[in-house]
Amino acid sequence: MHEISNPLTGIIGLSQLILECTDVPDGIRADISGINREANRATSILKDFLIFARGQKPDMRKADINVAIQGVLKLRRSYMRKSGIRVYTNLAQDLPSLMMDVAQIQQVFLNIILNAEYFMIDAHKGGTLTVFTSLHKNIVRSIFKDDGPGIPARILPNIFDPFFTTKEPGKGTGLGLSISYGIISEHNGNIYAESMPGQGATFIVELPVPPE
Ligand SMILES: Nc1ncnc2c1ncn2[C@@H]1O[C@H](COP(=O)(O)OP(=O)(O)O)[C@@H](O)[C@H]1O
Ligand SMILES: [Mg+2]
């Protein structure tokens, strides 16, 4: 992969140097800054792809799922407030600790939230995200419900496929949910989506409660 990342690093670095010169004509500056932006985007796609291809083994530790969720929500709080997205949480108290790779589980929640943000803003410039957790015998369920456009029934079976995206060109890689699926499978859990047309999308992540 260095075969791709080294040239990208070169493009980013050299275009940055040109942008730092004061005597670049405005028209050229705009083009160079486009080159720089696109090379940065290619780098971030490459990173996603590497995570996807590597399928890292999770580093399992006892952790509190509510704390993991709150950590991710905190990261997005100011952006969501600015974008007109309200967040409601209803996190069950006294949930048992789960065995998880917190960084990977947070990556899953982050992707679900980023998708919800994107589609709610795209459809009606804001909305409501509701997050629940609950305990059902030996699984803990985390639910993320948005009031965006929802997911058409005909594409619902495809959303976890690698490279499947309906975001506008340049906005999505289609890797988020497939990576998420891999991570949750490694945790012996389940991830799925439900959607009624026009009534938003709901993502459900189920993780097992470890035996005593
Ligand atoms: N909250 C949501 N509302 C509507 N569609 C969604 C939502 N979350 C995911 N999707 C659908 O699933 C697709 C795949 O998502 P993902 O794998 O995260 O890739 P990406 O974010 O790059 O599009 C999205 O492009 C969209 O079609
Ligand atoms: Mg995504």
Side-chain angles (χ1 to χ4, degrees):
M1 279 303 174
H2 288 295
E3 296 82 346
I4 306 176
S5 74
N6 289 346
L8 283 173
T9 308
I11 295 170
I12 292 167
L14 293 170
S15 54
Q16 196 61 46
L17 281 178
I18 301 175
L19 288 172
E20 279 162 20
C21 297
T22 48
D23 54 353
V24 184
D26 282 351
I28 294 179
R29 176 174 294 279
D31 291 345
I32 301 283
S33 118
I35 291 172
N36 185 271
R37 189 178 56 242
E38 293 303 306
N40 270 307
R41 200 161 73 72
T43 305
S44 90
I45 294 172
L46 185 66
K47 283 206 187 107
D48 280 354
F49 184 74
L50 285 177
I51 294 171
F52 167 72
R54 208 183 290 135
Q56 289 159 321
K57 270 267 162 243
D59 174 17
M60 297 290 209
R61 291 159 200 268
K62 269 196 162 177
D64 180 332
I65 195 89
N66 288 342
V67 173
I69 290 174
Q70 276 156 339
V72 180
L73 287 176
K74 193 169 164 204
L75 286 178
R76 303 307 302 163
R77 191 156 58 203
S78 79
Y79 176 82
M80 289 203 270
R81 190 180 299 144
K82 259 198 340 243
S83 316
I85 296 173
R86 285 174 303 270
V87 181
Y88 293 109
T89 52
N90 191 349
L91 306 181
Q93 295 309 303
D94 308 319
L95 289 178
S97 301
L98 303 180
M99 288 301 285
M100 62 177 130
D101 183 322
V102 177
Q104 289 192 359
I105 293 296
Q106 287 189 314
Q107 198 193 335
V108 172
F109 294 156
L110 180 63
N111 181 60
I112 292 173
I113 293 168
L114 290 173
N115 284 340
E117 287 174 4
Y118 176 95
F119 287 101
M120 288 194 289
I121 292 169
D122 194 47
H124 41 64
K125 301 200 167 21
T128 303
L129 174 70
T130 313
V131 185
F132 310 89
T133 54
S134 53
L135 176 64
H136 305 264
K137 290 201 188 106
N138 47 3
I139 62 165
V140 168
R141 204 170 271 157
S142 306
I143 299 179
F144 298 80
K145 182 174 167 27
D146 68 54
D147 64 355
I151 306 169
R154 90 194 127 75
I155 71 161
L156 206 47
N158 305 114
I159 60 171
F160 293 96
D161 295 347
F163 305 112
F164 179 87
T165 180
T166 58
K167 290 182 179 172
E168 59 182 277
K171 295 284 171 66
T173 61
L175 288 174
L177 286 177
S178 63
I179 292 170
S180 300
Y181 188 90
I183 291 172
I184 299 302
S185 303
E186 281 276 358
H187 282 74
N188 299 313
N190 257 317
I191 177 171
Y192 54 96
E194 292 173 348
S195 183
M196 297 283 271
Q199 296 194 17
T202 303
F203 281 82
I204 299 129
V205 175
E206 296 176 346
L207 290 169
V209 175
E212 292 287 326

